[in-house]
Amino acid sequence: MQPHTTVGIVGGGPAGLLLARLLHRSGVDCVVLESRERAYVEHRQRAGILEQSTVDVLRSSGAAGRLDREAMVHDGIELRWNRHTHRLDFPALTGGRRVWVYAQTEVVKDLIALQIEDGAPLVFGAQVRAVEGADTDRPVIHYTHEDRDKTLTCDYVVGCDGFHGVTRRAVPRGAIRTYERVYPYSWFGILADVPPSCDELIYAHSPRGFALHSMRSPEVSRLYLQVPNGTDTDDWPDERIWDELDARFAIDGDWKLERGPITARAVLPMRSFVTEPMRWGRVLLAGDAAHIVPPTGAKGLNLAAADVVVLARAFAHLRATGSEELLEAYSATCLRRVWRAEHFSWFMTTTLHTDPAHSDFDARLQTSQLDRIAASRHAAAELAENYAGLEIG
Ligand code: RFL
Ligand code: PHB
């Protein structure tokens, strides 16, 4: 007999792992197939900011023990432009919302440990090659594990395999529509063994380009610089990175950027992308497999978590009632939140970055918008509500 599961999950990133956790707790059986090895998945540097709703779901699924001990709770961010700084107070502007600084790598480690502790199936080194039969009631996952070709038949397949995954290809061309925007700049991200020079994240707009000061712990800083697409990390010796960060964060006041040993560096392209619908037959897409946002709004991981919450609820409903009604509503429910986050991420990105094709006129519009955020509680609240996370769907 062929191996079979109710929900076959392609990809063991945050979307796949959290979905598996939620399904396991509702008594829905599933298998996670992840192409990479555990150590690789646990150390891939990605997101750092969790919204209230993401923390809530990690807590309610019993996955927030270490998060509640170690995460840093932030009540705002700083925006910098024209050599001055403006703080947004999230709880005051949003009726009490805040964000958590807890690295995606840590969320992933916590979820993997729980999955293994539960004895729930999670296969590393399982490279999915294709998903077939989306329009049948027995879709099949074809994958390679330990040099052997294998298959897994499923009632449903969920593609949590990120932007470059294969599950999206199971949907015939023409059955889904994609929307895309590629930005004319990238982020150069570093990790440095130096205490953060700030208590909260700093998003800086400057004529030299955007910079972001984030953090991973009281001892480790995470910083990003806008750079041209195609930038080679070898062209950026440490001194040049720190000098450029210094120049972009500079304000007419007392502030100093502390420097330290750089332990990781990478260039990350930026893209907006949406697949509509997020379901076709018995194949569903979640997280980055379905949509991508540029990281300026800190939304990607939170969107992935929101998708799988909706999906887990739909599978639990199916199990309890036999009704597919929530699965049928899955795509429309998620896309409302996705498009809001797409807009916000685009807004943050285009307001804060320097576009090489832009004129001085465009640059003045950007600073006018930032001035407006500083002057108007309504404009500030709009940014704060989106950043700290909206209740949608
Ligand atoms: P992932 O994390 O890409 O996981 C997909 C998993 O699928 C596996 N896979 C396959 N497995 C089997 N067979 C195949 N054929 C497979 N193909 C792929 C991959 O190995 C991988 O393990 O997608 P997921 O789970 O949807 O999670 C999405 C998030 O990772 C992503 O949205 C965020 O990291 C985006 N993001 C941020 N999001 C936030 O909410 N807050 C942030 O502060 C934030 N900062 C960021 C970010 C993304 C960044 N990069 C790298 C673009 C900062 C950066 C720099
Ligand atoms: C991060 O800490 O990696 C981070 C924080 C905020 C962002 C993007 C990335 O907007």
Side-chain angles (χ1 to χ4, degrees):
M1 229 182 59
Q2 283 207 331
H4 180 86
T5 187
T6 305
V7 182
I9 301 175
V10 184
L17 292 166
L18 182 58
L19 177 61
R21 174 84 187 149
L22 297 172
L23 292 180
H24 183 73
R25 286 173 72 93
S26 319
V28 178
D29 71 294
C30 65
V31 174
V32 182
L33 300 173
E34 164 57 47
S35 58
R36 302 288 191 158
E37 295 305 330
R38 178 175 179 178
Y40 181 92
V41 175
E42 288 188 340
H43 292 97
R44 194 166 34 194
Q45 272 306 319
R46 290 278 182 93
I49 299 289
L50 307 182
E51 293 173 9
Q52 177 82 54
S53 54
T54 306
V55 171
D56 288 347
V57 65
L58 290 170
R59 283 185 178 151
S60 66
S61 61
R66 199 159 66 91
L67 183 154
D68 278 326
R69 287 193 304 279
E70 296 180 11
M72 296 175 276
V73 183
H74 282 195
D75 281 344
I77 56 170
E78 241 183 80
L79 294 176
R80 290 189 179 181
W81 71 102
N82 284 349
R83 299 187 65 87
H84 77 269
T85 189
H86 179 80
R87 177 172 186 263
L88 296 179
D89 179 334
F90 290 162
L93 290 163
T94 64
R97 293 193 154 247
R98 39 203 354 213
V99 295
W100 279 252
V101 178
Y102 191 65
Q104 179 168 327
T105 45
E106 306 310 311
V107 174
V108 163
K109 280 181 205 159
D110 296 345
L111 289 169
I112 289 175
L114 285 169
Q115 182 83 359
I116 289 170
E117 197 178 297
D118 288 345
L122 164 58
V123 189
F124 290 105
Q127 175 79 39
V128 172
R129 288 177 281 107
V131 175
E132 284 178 345
D135 54 347
T136 70
D137 59 5
R138 278 284 181 282
V140 186
I141 302 177
H142 298 272
Y143 67 102
T144 307
H145 184 234
E146 294 171 343
D147 294 327
R148 294 176 57 184
D149 290 345
K150 301 191 175 179
T151 57
L152 176 66
T153 64
C154 313
D155 290 350
Y156 296 89
V157 175
V158 182
C160 296
D161 45 352
F163 179 66
H164 299 288
V166 298
T167 312
R168 214 167 45 235
R169 291 191 226 139
V171 181
R173 240 180 241 272
I176 53 171
R177 176 161 184 200
T178 57
Y179 300 81
E180 187 165 20
R181 181 188 183 107
V182 177
Y183 296 83
Y185 33 74
S186 302
W187 277 13
F188 191 129
I190 62 161
L191 273 178
D193 280 340
V194 58
S197 305
C198 46
D199 295 329
E200 294 172 337
L201 270 59
I202 305 172
Y203 289 79
H205 166 93
S206 95
R208 306 176 70 99
F210 169 77
L212 169 61
H213 193 321
S214 182
M215 57 196 74
R216 288 290 174 263
S217 71
E219 294 81 35
V220 177
S221 296
R222 174 82 168 144
L223 295 121
Y224 298 97
L225 275 174
Q226 175 188 343
V227 290
N229 287 341
T231 292
D232 185 344
T233 52
D234 290 345
D235 293 339
W236 285 78
D238 294 11
E239 201 72 356
R240 180 175 178 205
I241 296 174
W242 290 114
D243 288 348
E244 192 58 34
L245 287 166
D246 249 341
R248 294 189 191 184
F249 287 121
I251 47 171
D252 294 333
D254 224 12
W255 189 77
K256 183 166 184 284
L257 179 66
E258 299 298 339
R259 301 182 176 201
I262 296 176
T263 57
R265 64 191 77 217
V267 172
L268 321 151
M270 297 171 77
R271 180 190 303 274
S272 301
F273 173 81
V274 181
T275 304
E276 274 195 12
M278 290 165 58
R279 172 195 179 176
W280 196 75
R282 289 194 171 222
V283 169
L284 302 105
L285 302 171
D288 279 14
H291 40 71
I292 294 281
V293 285
T296 328
K299 286 283 158 251
L301 172 59
N302 295 295
L303 277 183
D307 286 352
V308 300
V309 167
V310 175
L311 203 44
R313 207 185 294 145
F315 281 122
H317 184 70
L318 174 67
R319 182 173 188 268
T321 66
S323 164
E324 274 208 339
E325 62 190 336
L326 293 188
L327 277 179
E328 274 155 19
Y330 167 69
S331 178
T333 304
C334 289
L335 283 167
R336 279 193 292 275
R337 175 190 290 268
V338 167
W339 277 112
R340 176 86 304 276
E342 290 289 343
H343 180 272
F344 177 64
S345 305
W346 163 85
F347 165 79
M348 288 289 281
T349 303
T350 54
T351 303
L352 291 167
H353 289 70
T354 308
D355 188 324
H358 271 183
S359 63
D360 291 348
F361 178 83
D362 300 297
R364 295 288 284 125
L365 291 183
Q366 289 179 311
T367 51
S368 166
Q369 179 61 33
L370 291 163
D371 289 342
R372 173 80 188 146
I373 290 164
S376 155
R377 187 182 166 86
H378 291 295
E382 173 63 8
L383 194 159
E385 281 179 12
N386 277 280
Y387 192 99
L390 297 164
E391 299 280 7
I392 300 176

